[in-house]
Amino acid sequence: MANSMARSFLQVAATEEVASPLRVVQIEGLVILKIIKHCKEFSPALVTGQLLGLDVGSVLEVTNCFPFPIREEDEEIEADGANYQLEMMRCLREVNVDNNTVGWYQSTILGSYQTVELIETFMNYQENIRRCVCIIYDPSRSNQGVLALKALKLSDSFMELYRANNFTGEKLREKNLSWVDIFEEIPIKVSNSALISAFMTELESDTPVKQCDYDRLQLSTKPYMERNVEFLIECMDDLSMEQQKFQFYYRSLSRQQAQQQAWLQKRRTENMARKAAGEEPLPEEDPSNPIFKPIPEPSRLESFLVTNQIANYCNQINGVAGQNFNRLYLMKSLHDN
Amino acid sequence: MASKFWTQGGSDTEEEETDIEDEIENGGAGETTAAAAGSRYLQTNASDSDDSDGQKRVVRSAKDKRFEEMASTVDQMKNAMKINDWVSLQESFDKINKQLEKVMRVTESDRVPNLYIKCLVMLEDFLAEALANKEAKKKMSSSNHKALNAMKQKLKKNNKQYEELINKYRENPESEEEKFEDEDEDEDEDESGSELEDPSQIAAESSDEDDEGEDVDDDDADGAWEKKLSKKEKLMDREFKKDPSEITWDTVNKKFKEVVAARGRKGTGKFEQVEQLTFLTKVAKTPAQKLEILFSVISAQFDVNPGLSGHMPINVWKKCVQNMLVILDILVQYPNIVVDDMVEPDENETQKGADYDGTIRVWGNLVAFLERIDNEFFKSLQCIDPHTREYVERLRDEPLFLVLAQNVQEYLERIGDLKSAAKVALRRVELVYYKPQEVYDAMRQLAVLSEDGEKDGDETKVEETRGTSAFVVTPELVSRKLTFPENSRALMDILVTLIYKSGDERTKARAMLCDIYHHALFDEFSIARDLLLMSHLQDTIQHMDVSTQILFNRAMAQVGLCAFRVGLIAEGHGCLSELYSGGRVKELLAQGVSQSRYHEKTPEQERLERRRQMPYHMHINLELLEAVHLICAMLLEVPNMAANSLDAKRKVISKTFRRLLEVSERQPFTGPPENVRDHVMAATRALCKGDFQKAFDVINSLDVWKLLRNRESVLEMLKAKIKEEALRTYLFTYCSSYDTLGLDQLTKMFDLSDAQIHSIVSKMLVNEELHASWDQPTRCIIFHDVEYSRLQALAFQLTEKLSILAESNERAVEARFGGGGLDLPLRRRDNQEYAAGTSGGGGGRWPDLSYNQGRQGSSGRAAYTGGGRPLALGQASRDRSSQSRGTGGYSGRAGSGMRGYQMDASARMVSLSRGVRG
């Protein structure tokens, strides 16, 4: 056993050079339960925690996790948070638990996680750990009867762009990066020990339908939908704002171009005159002139994120609406029975 | 005479006077304790004889004072000469130069006073004498010697400027002297006591000049002017007086070239040049030459204007107009003379006499001169305080200009230069367009009245110009009379048609705006609006110059007022709201400079802005405008607020109004209304409760209504509107409290007829603003309890946001691929779509306009049925069409359309402000 483990570690060491892409995140059932417990208890406040585990080839194993205390908007406490993290890791190492950080988890409300902060945090982690992942759990969605768990990472091309901090239209076109390409979702695999699996099989009852299944048929999804639409409206506002920024940029750009043209025209006629007078022509470019100062193009990042967000909300609404229809048909057939 | 006092006091005075101009009197009195407590004037008239004359203490104008100061300095100089004191002479010389500046400033002319020239001559002579006398020079003290040398340098430099005048003076000092002898009876004994030869002679003369100067100044500057003029004429005459037959074209031409060459040179008096040229016109040999010289006269007259911001003196302006008329006379008399500014004419072109057959080309540009004259007129009105009599007097000169413009236009039309004729026509349009019929009639009367008086004046003037020796007699061929049509509309139509036919882009746009303004002034809203839409000026105005943008704003304001007067509240609001959205109405209409707290304007910008201001008589009354805007906003916004009381943010018609309302609601105590805003706010409060009577009373108490011509009918209309909106507000606000509501009760409450209430309520039902139904037998409204679920409401909101987004996306794409203006293609397409909807009568713009007018009557309140949305001009027609076609998805489109319009508006305002600032 130890031998095989050692070999596997060796393998890991060997593959590291190749750096195979991350294919699956394998999470222990216990970790998931811990995450759910933590997030649900504090909902609707948003919480975060650390993921610990191993990086094995194309599989990222998450074997343990611990929660962070709720952060306050205060420097000192933030420093405390860092201390807490280090302390916790030390303690875990002492009891011989995996203490290799592989990412973090966080709770969210209605999937509104696509923010600049998330990207920043991710970039921070990325600097220290080559392979990291963010697990996002949505307690409100889980109330609908689905396990709303997602493993995310930033796409490589996006990270490259982000490092260069260059989100102009041209660059984006060059990289062929659209809003869908910011985040990559990685499939999650839940692994349990053989004993637990066996126990679960034991627990499974024989009858196909039970009372709790009927409970799931409740149709009160209205508040959920409402909030989704509300968020969607907010997103629309944000998007319009981004658009306005862009329009403003475009307007000032065209004005500047007109100015430049006028200047150039003037300079050309001047040069003609000078040539006629037998003097040296003036250069046709004058970098010191303020009208040649390029206007910074607004970053597209924000609008990309907002678009992502919108897509997310739409998916959720779609999903819930679909489910509701199913439920309605089910109810109808049940009543018919 | 050689008083010690002056030689000592000289230096003191100099310091004092240069430093503290205003305190001259105090300083003077303080410093000369020795000189008895006499007045400053006594002192300055330093000659003893004056004292003995017992001159009384008189209050004199600043001009007199300056002249006296100068005279006293001359005296000082004379004294210094006598004792050969070069140091004090030098000081005095500096002083007199400074005083000269002051004198010039005060008299506002650039004619150097005789006194000064005389003094210079005297100094020059004395200097020559002193230099010649070597022995005396040796005896001089070192400081004196130094001063002498310095003086030599200075005088040489200084005299160069006045060389011409000095020479003139030297040529005929005797004539002057004679004159003085005649004038000054009380020759004093100074002359006898003179021991110097030539200079002293002059010095004595100049001492007389003291008294003489006073006399002259007491008369007027004009008196002095006349005298000088006569002298000049004498000079000129001497050149030409020999014999009329001896004056050849060449001599005149030579002199003319000489005078013109002196233009703009230092030391060339501008008035002088005008006079010289005017004289030359009289001796001109050929009509062409006279024409040429006349053009130069006018140019020279324009030169008289002191600066860019100041205006031309009024009398010069009038002369200028007269000259232009003479030019026209010549041109009419000799149709073979062509005025052109494109080609450089042949040197001897003007030599060709009156009997020459071919065309004679003369350099000149009538239109440019005319425009310049108009600009000067405009500027003078800008500068003159509108509350003075002077302003009214100046306004009376307008017919004078109109006559000229009319004649120039006629001439240009005759020679077929329609493009220039259009330009001139525009000038005329711009003088007429803002005048209501009453003012127009008054102007006509004035023109008729002044005709008689003018005639007399004219004749004498003509006599005068002709009397002496005009070689080329120009009979008055061009009528000096204004021929006005009865109706200003008729005049506008004639002029505008001409401009549309042959004007350039800018001229046409301006004429169109004036036309719109004029139509709006005459309560012809539909025509004005159609013109505005047809011309697509809204789209292109951002690219025009600032003054045209101002004209556009003025036209919009007037259209708004007009819409209000004819009872189209929504349209009126649409026109006015953009003006008020930025809070810079004054600036936008160029009726005053608004002070912004946040950014200081540079003096440059401020000056530019000041130059753009409208003269007072062209102003649109701002209070009336504000009242109309706020009342329109109130009538639209109050029911709208009542309808959407749950989420007030959702549909805001007038942000300005909302803001004002918020401010007034925040006040802990509302006093009685004082200004327009307070009145409207008080009315709003009443209207919110459905109390139409109170609302109307408050608004009725505004005193701006007296500015309206048909005040009664407008107030009547306003009252009807207020009642209607009060009813709607009441229904919106209290529908939830009622199960049923009787028609009879409503008629009683709102003083409206059954039919009216029925129609209003039915309209609300149709538009699904009110969830209710009629119960005919019991004459009741039965309310249904229909509430949107929250999800539904949110969905509505979402669709609205989406439509905004889609719209702006579309615009962005159009901007990228469309090339032209941001919203131009969009508008166009709408128009086409619309034309297609109206049975596609050729797809042009005219058919849909006529359709529009046809519908005007039947859907008089179409905008109103559109859910009380502010349908801005551009959209009003569109909505109406979509409604008449009964298409679905109406509200969304209207909403987006409206928003699009507002965006346009904001963009335009931005651009204007850019213009203002940049």
Side-chain angles (χ1 to χ4, degrees):
Chain A
M1 186 72 183
N3 239 358
S4 71
M5 275 297 281
R7 218 183 306 137
S8 78
F9 272 118
L10 263 179
Q11 279 166 356
V12 170
T15 50
E16 232 170 27
E17 281 154 25
V18 186
S20 67
L22 186 58
R23 297 230 183 275
V24 179
V25 177
Q26 185 178 313
I27 308 180
E28 289 283 325
L30 177 69
V31 176
I32 291 182
L33 288 178
K34 268 167 102 175
I35 291 174
I36 291 175
K37 182 163 177 284
H38 181 209
C39 292
K40 205 159 190 172
E41 269 173 358
F42 283 93
S43 158
L46 300 180
V47 291
T48 53
Q50 188 92 319
L51 297 177
L52 304 169
L54 287 172
D55 178 8
V56 188
S58 61
V59 180
L60 192 72
E61 289 179 11
V62 181
T63 52
N64 207 344
C65 73
F66 64 88
F68 290 153
I70 289 182
R71 262 195 266 160
E72 305 265 332
E73 295 296 321
D74 207 341
E75 282 296 315
E76 278 178 54
I77 297 174
E78 215 159 277
D80 281 354
N83 281 341
Y84 172 84
Q85 197 175 336
L86 291 175
E87 192 71 9
M88 194 71 185
M89 304 262 275
R90 199 176 52 79
C91 295
L92 286 173
R93 189 164 56 237
E94 274 170 18
V95 290
N96 205 17
V97 182
D98 280 339
N99 61 352
N100 181 28
T101 311
V102 291
W104 83 101
Y105 69 86
Q106 69 175 54
S107 64
T108 180
I109 296 175
L110 289 172
S112 54
Y113 54 83
Q114 279 126 334
T115 57
V116 183
E117 287 83 49
L118 181 97
I119 291 175
E120 273 169 11
T121 324
F122 207 103
M123 294 309 285
N124 273 343
Y125 269 89
Q126 190 72 33
E127 271 178 21
N128 301 321
I129 316 155
R130 293 201 47 249
R131 222 167 254 189
C132 79
V133 81
C134 171
I135 305 275
I136 288 180
Y137 178 72
D138 188 345
S140 56
R141 222 176 137 215
S142 298
N143 284 346
Q144 302 297 317
V146 276
L147 180 60
L149 205 62
K150 258 184 200 163
L152 291 178
K153 76 184 272 289
L154 294 179
S155 70
D156 294 335
S157 52
F158 175 80
M159 278 195 282
E160 217 171 281
L161 271 182
Y162 190 85
R163 276 200 202 97
N165 201 6
N166 193 353
F167 288 99
T168 58
E170 200 182 336
K171 264 276 183 282
L172 289 175
R173 265 195 300 281
E174 207 175 274
K175 293 271 172 195
N176 208 4
L177 191 84
S178 77
W179 55 272
V180 267
D181 302 324
I182 295 181
F183 293 101
E184 264 174 41
E185 195 173 339
I186 301 157
I188 294 175
K189 200 172 131 196
V190 183
S191 76
N192 284 318
S193 69
L195 272 178
I196 292 176
S197 303
F199 181 61
M200 291 297 277
T201 334
E202 192 79 353
L203 275 179
E204 218 162 84
S205 61
D206 306 328
T207 48
V209 181
K210 288 200 308 187
Q211 183 55 43
C212 68
D213 288 328
Y214 288 125
D215 287 346
R216 280 196 198 146
L217 286 178
Q218 62 154 337
L219 284 167
S220 66
T221 52
K222 221 169 153 187
Y224 180 76
M225 290 285 259
E226 276 169 16
R227 287 179 71 186
N228 253 322
V229 177
E230 266 172 37
F231 282 130
L232 210 50
I233 289 172
E234 271 173 35
C235 278
M236 288 300 165
D237 282 343
D238 290 347
L239 203 60
S240 317
M241 214 131 79
E242 288 298 316
Q243 206 175 28
Q244 267 171 23
K245 265 189 220 164
F246 192 70
Q247 269 180 6
F248 180 75
Y249 161 73
Y250 189 80
R251 261 212 299 274
S252 44
L253 192 71
S254 61
R255 205 182 318 136
Q256 195 195 31
Q257 274 167 356
Q259 275 176 351
Q260 285 176 358
Q261 278 304 321
W263 186 85
L264 219 64
Q265 198 71 35
K266 212 178 116 206
R267 183 45 72 86
R268 289 220 172 106
T269 51
E270 203 180 330
N271 274 346
M272 294 277 262
R274 286 175 78 95
K275 203 181 265 177
E279 289 174 63
E280 275 293 297
L282 295 169
E284 287 207 344
E285 262 163 27
D286 182 11
S288 61
N289 199 325
I291 60 168
F292 283 101
K293 210 174 78 186
I295 302 172
E297 191 179 331
S299 167
R300 306 283 179 89
L301 177 60
E302 191 67 31
S303 63
F304 270 23
L305 288 180
V306 174
T307 316
N308 253 323
Q309 200 73 60
I310 290 171
N312 203 0
Y313 289 135
C314 288
N315 279 339
Q316 285 176 14
I317 291 174
N318 244 349
V320 172
Q323 280 175 19
N324 278 0
F325 274 117
N326 285 347
R327 280 176 195 158
L328 282 172
Y329 285 125
L330 247 165
M331 283 300 271
K332 195 177 169 221
S333 54
L334 273 177
H335 278 295
D336 286 348
N337 279 349
Chain B
M1 190 68 212
S3 87
K4 239 168 123 195
F5 164 64
W6 278 117
T7 45
Q8 290 164 350
S11 57
D12 296 2
T13 353
E14 191 200 350
E15 275 167 28
E16 299 266 12
E17 278 179 353
T18 48
D19 291 347
I20 329 160
E21 259 181 71
D22 297 3
E23 291 176 24
I24 279 172
E25 268 153 272
N26 306 342
E31 150 238 330
T32 55
T33 38
S39 79
R40 173 81 188 151
Y41 306 115
L42 289 179
Q43 268 179 53
T44 45
N45 284 307
S47 64
D48 301 337
S49 63
D50 274 353
D51 274 357
S52 62
D53 278 350
Q55 202 173 27
K56 273 181 207 125
R57 185 173 176 163
V58 210
V59 179
R60 251 163 274 210
S61 67
K63 203 161 57 186
D64 297 353
K65 233 163 58 192
R66 300 284 177 235
F67 267 115
E68 276 174 23
E69 276 168 22
M70 206 168 194
S72 80
T73 319
V74 173
D75 267 358
Q76 270 173 262
M77 289 167 93
K78 270 189 296 183
N79 292 335
M81 275 180 209
K82 276 179 199 158
I83 57 163
N84 217 356
D85 181 357
W86 283 98
V87 180
S88 65
L89 196 60
Q90 192 184 356
E91 277 163 2
S92 301
F93 183 67
D94 289 345
K95 192 161 129 190
I96 202 166
N97 276 339
K98 267 173 203 147
Q99 282 167 343
L100 176 71
E101 266 169 44
K102 280 185 210 161
V103 170
M104 304 286 266
R105 205 164 51 219
V106 170
T107 55
E108 280 170 353
S109 77
D110 30 24
R111 187 178 66 92
V112 181
N114 275 339
L115 180 59
Y116 179 76
I117 299 298
K118 214 180 273 181
C119 166
L120 286 183
V121 170
M122 168 182 91
L123 268 174
E124 219 172 49
D125 293 344
F126 183 64
L127 189 76
E129 191 192 330
L131 287 173
N133 193 349
K134 296 254 158 87
E135 264 174 51
K137 227 165 110 185
K138 267 175 204 156
K139 271 184 228 161
M140 269 184 212
S141 68
S142 66
S143 65
N144 219 4
H145 195 256
K146 222 156 77 188
L148 169 68
N149 284 335
M151 193 67 205
K152 194 173 85 185
Q153 306 274 335
K154 255 191 224 168
L155 199 64
K156 208 165 148 198
K157 215 163 72 187
N158 191 53
N159 282 9
K160 219 170 250 172
Q161 287 176 42
Y162 307 102
E163 216 168 353
E164 197 183 335
L165 287 169
I166 290 173
N167 288 339
K168 246 176 227 164
Y169 178 81
R170 278 188 192 282
E171 269 172 42
N172 55 351
E174 64 283 353
S175 72
E176 303 262 308
E177 269 163 344
E178 276 163 34
K179 215 169 9 178
F180 298 139
E181 237 105 53
D182 295 342
E183 275 174 29
D184 301 319
E185 298 299 326
D186 51 347
E187 272 295 61
D188 35 2
E189 59 287 339
D190 280 4
E191 233 167 344
S192 59
S194 64
E195 61 257 312
L196 297 166
E197 284 96 44
D198 193 29
S200 78
Q201 198 74 19
I202 296 160
E205 287 307 331
S206 64
S207 87
D208 300 336
E209 170 85 11
D210 296 352
D211 304 342
E212 190 262 344
E214 270 164 38
D215 290 351
V216 168
D217 294 334
D218 281 349
D219 304 346
D220 200 355
D222 281 343
W225 172 244
E226 221 84 73
K227 206 187 294 165
K228 174 137 190 195
L229 185 148
S230 62
K231 181 181 120 200
K232 192 133 301 137
E233 281 199 0
K234 247 183 250 163
L235 261 176
M236 291 288 252
D237 268 343
R238 201 162 41 192
E239 251 169 86
F240 290 109
K241 74 184 155 196
K242 307 151 193 166
D243 185 6
S245 58
E246 269 176 45
I247 301 173
T248 59
W249 179 86
D250 271 326
T251 50
V252 176
N253 193 43
K254 216 177 99 209
K255 185 71 190 160
F256 168 63
K257 290 269 148 48
E258 194 178 296
V259 174
V260 168
R263 177 184 181 187
R265 236 183 249 161
K266 217 172 175 184
T268 314
K270 289 172 185 166
F271 277 107
E272 224 169 273
Q273 199 174 22
V274 172
E275 287 308 322
Q276 287 175 353
L277 286 169
T278 317
F279 177 79
L280 279 176
T281 58
K282 285 179 206 155
V283 296
K285 290 300 275 183
T286 63
Q289 188 176 37
K290 181 166 182 179
L291 198 64
E292 194 181 16
I293 298 173
L294 270 172
F295 276 124
S296 301
V297 172
I298 292 172
S299 301
Q301 276 168 333
F302 286 142
D303 279 348
V304 167
N305 184 15
L308 203 53
S309 49
H311 63 89
M312 202 161 147
I314 290 166
N315 51 351
V316 179
W317 186 85
K318 281 183 182 160
K319 276 187 202 142
C320 207
V321 172
Q322 292 302 335
N323 282 334
M324 280 295 278
L325 284 172
V326 174
I327 286 179
L328 282 177
D329 284 336
I330 296 174
L331 287 175
V332 171
Q333 195 185 358
Y334 305 102
N336 58 340
I337 299 179
V338 177
V339 173
D340 204 339
D341 64 341
M342 298 304 280
V343 287
E344 197 60 39
D346 182 22
E347 183 70 1
N348 296 327
E349 188 87 353
T350 54
Q351 197 166 10
K352 295 160 186 166
D355 45 355
Y356 184 76
D357 277 345
T359 51
I360 304 174
R361 289 180 181 280
V362 177
W363 186 89
N365 189 344
L366 283 177
V367 182
F369 280 158
L370 186 85
E371 285 183 341
R372 180 75 196 267
I373 290 177
D374 185 30
N375 287 345
E376 292 296 340
F377 181 66
F378 190 81
K379 262 199 271 183
S380 69
L381 285 172
Q382 277 177 330
C383 294
I384 300 170
D385 179 7
H387 304 292
T388 55
R389 179 136 189 82
E390 202 188 345
Y391 193 79
V392 182
E393 289 293 328
R394 187 67 181 135
L395 273 182
R396 278 164 180 272
D397 293 339
E398 199 177 80
L400 215 61
F401 176 75
L402 278 174
V403 169
L404 177 64
Q406 186 183 335
N407 286 325
V408 171
Q409 192 189 332
E410 273 166 16
Y411 171 75
L412 288 172
E413 275 174 51
R414 212 171 314 131
I415 65 165
D417 189 359
L418 287 178
K419 215 162 180 163
S420 309
K423 271 186 194 160
V424 178
L426 177 67
R427 291 290 164 161
R428 292 175 70 193
V429 165
E430 284 184 13
L431 283 176
V432 173
Y433 79 97
Y434 58 88
K435 289 187 169 74
Q437 187 63 42
E438 292 84 353
V439 180
Y440 182 79
D441 287 342
M443 191 177 71
R444 280 188 64 221
Q445 265 173 2
L446 177 72
V448 172
L449 274 180
S450 63
E451 225 160 73
D452 306 324
E454 195 108 318
K455 218 169 244 169
D456 300 340
D458 255 4
E459 261 155 40
T460 53
K461 225 175 272 170
V462 169
E463 224 59 62
E464 191 181 67
T465 48
R466 226 182 280 165
T468 48
S469 62
F471 294 112
V472 182
V473 180
T474 43
E476 282 192 28
L477 292 173
V478 179
S479 77
R480 261 53 167 176
K481 245 186 277 179
L482 263 186
T483 44
F484 275 136
E486 278 286 312
N487 193 334
S488 61
R489 187 64 250 165
L491 178 62
M492 283 292 282
D493 279 337
I494 296 167
L495 294 174
V496 163
T497 323
L498 173 76
I499 295 171
Y500 291 160
K501 263 189 207 143
S502 45
D504 59 10
E505 213 40 50
R506 179 175 182 269
T507 315
K508 270 196 265 189
R510 284 192 76 98
M512 179 67 89
L513 287 171
C514 292
D515 204 15
I516 291 165
Y517 189 103
H518 195 260
H519 276 297
L521 204 61
F522 281 66
D523 280 354
E524 287 158 336
F525 175 74
S526 53
I527 301 178
R529 182 205 51 201
D530 292 346
L531 281 175
L532 193 64
L533 293 180
M534 193 174 64
S535 61
H536 287 278
L537 274 171
Q538 281 167 307
D539 306 325
T540 51
I541 193 72
Q542 310 151 13
H543 309 296
M544 300 209 181
D545 58 326
V546 178
S547 115
T548 310
Q549 286 181 0
I550 288 169
L551 187 60
F552 176 80
N553 288 342
R554 280 167 59 77
M556 276 307 261
Q558 198 55 250
V559 172
L561 287 179
C562 170
F564 176 76
R565 282 196 298 263
V566 297
L568 300 167
I569 300 298
E571 280 85 346
H573 180 258
C575 294
L576 296 180
S577 61
E578 10 169 330
L579 272 180
Y580 277 87
S581 60
R584 297 182 304 143
V585 202
K586 274 188 184 172
E587 204 171 308
L588 291 178
L589 293 178
Q591 298 190 356
V593 188
S594 57
Q595 293 295 333
S596 170
R597 229 182 313 160
Y598 300 108
H599 65 275
E600 289 279 303
K601 290 190 193 104
T602 59
E604 186 70 16
Q605 286 171 339
E606 225 162 278
R607 224 172 304 131
L608 267 179
E609 202 169 310
R610 198 146 295 144
R611 222 174 291 155
R612 278 198 290 266
Q613 294 301 309
M614 284 287 148
Y616 184 72
H617 66 289
M618 293 170 79
H619 281 196
I620 299 171
N621 187 288
L622 284 178
E623 263 192 21
L624 179 65
L625 200 62
E626 190 182 17
V628 167
H629 168 241
L630 287 178
I631 289 169
C632 286
M634 174 184 83
L635 288 177
L636 296 171
E637 189 72 83
V638 168
N640 177 46
M641 284 192 315
N644 304 305
S645 55
L646 289 177
D647 48 353
K649 259 194 206 163
R650 240 183 77 191
K651 276 187 247 157
V652 177
I653 294 173
S654 169
K655 273 196 183 132
T656 332
F657 182 79
R658 283 280 173 100
R659 209 166 45 234
L660 286 178
L661 195 61
E662 269 168 32
V663 170
S664 91
E665 272 168 359
R666 268 208 297 274
Q667 283 173 349
F669 170 73
T670 47
E674 280 174 0
N675 53 16
V676 174
R677 255 178 226 183
D678 291 349
H679 275 88
V680 177
M681 287 306 133
T684 306
R685 276 193 293 275
L687 195 59
C688 282
K689 296 189 197 98
D691 187 351
F692 76 90
Q693 192 59 48
K694 197 177 162 199
F696 178 71
D697 287 344
V698 172
I699 284 182
N700 196 20
S701 66
L702 277 172
D703 52 0
V704 287
W705 299 125
K706 67 171 184 280
L707 298 171
L708 289 180
R709 197 183 309 144
N710 41 2
R711 175 183 166 180
E712 294 306 316
S713 61
V714 168
L715 285 177
E716 203 58 41
M717 176 278 298
L718 194 58
K719 189 165 188 178
K721 291 277 177 205
I722 289 178
K723 276 182 199 171
E724 200 175 283
E725 299 305 333
L727 169 63
R728 278 159 51 78
T729 312
Y730 185 80
L731 286 179
F732 279 133
T733 316
Y734 298 108
C735 65
S736 54
S737 317
Y738 286 101
D739 267 343
T740 58
L741 195 51
L743 186 58
D744 297 328
Q745 200 194 344
L746 284 177
T747 36
K748 225 187 291 164
M749 276 173 76
F750 292 99
D751 193 22
L752 285 165
S753 69
D754 280 4
Q756 276 171 315
I757 289 192
H758 197 279
S759 83
I760 293 169
V761 173
S762 300
K763 235 172 250 162
M764 289 168 76
L765 298 187
V766 169
N767 287 323
E768 297 187 334
E769 293 172 322
L770 199 63
H771 301 287
S773 59
W774 280 108
D775 191 47
Q776 298 291 358
T778 53
R779 291 160 58 82
C780 276
I781 309 167
I782 300 168
F783 291 102
H784 308 296
D785 194 19
V786 189
E787 278 287 302
Y788 287 138
S789 73
R790 193 166 154 63
L791 190 60
Q792 279 169 318
L794 285 170
F796 279 130
Q797 214 174 326
L798 185 63
T799 49
E800 212 159 283
K801 299 261 181 211
L802 278 171
S803 64
I804 300 172
L805 202 67
E807 176 108 354
S808 57
N809 240 343
E810 216 170 303
R811 285 151 59 90
V813 172
E814 303 256 11
R816 180 137 185 80
F817 300 110
L822 267 182
D823 46 352
L824 202 64
L826 212 95
R827 215 36 84 66
R828 281 256 163 82
R829 207 189 44 222
D830 280 338
N831 246 347
Q832 279 157 9
E833 189 183 321
Y834 178 50
T838 57
S839 77
R845 280 174 207 147
W846 278 107
D848 59 9
L849 278 170
S850 61
Y851 173 77
N852 218 342
Q853 279 166 340
R855 290 211 52 89
Q856 186 75 24
S858 57
S859 56
R861 272 198 307 268
Y864 167 72
T865 53
R869 279 166 200 275
L871 296 173
L873 273 180
Q875 272 62 43
S877 52
R878 207 169 82 182
D879 279 15
R880 216 168 286 147
S881 75
S882 65
Q883 201 166 30
S884 64
R885 270 183 274 157
T887 48
Y890 153 73
S891 70
R893 276 197 49 193
S896 66
M898 172 195 90
R899 204 158 286 108
Y901 183 81
Q902 281 174 355
M903 276 177 181
D904 294 354
S906 65
R908 184 154 51 250
M909 293 301 149
V910 164
S911 81
L912 176 53
S913 69
R914 206 183 302 134
V916 166
R917 264 176 231 129

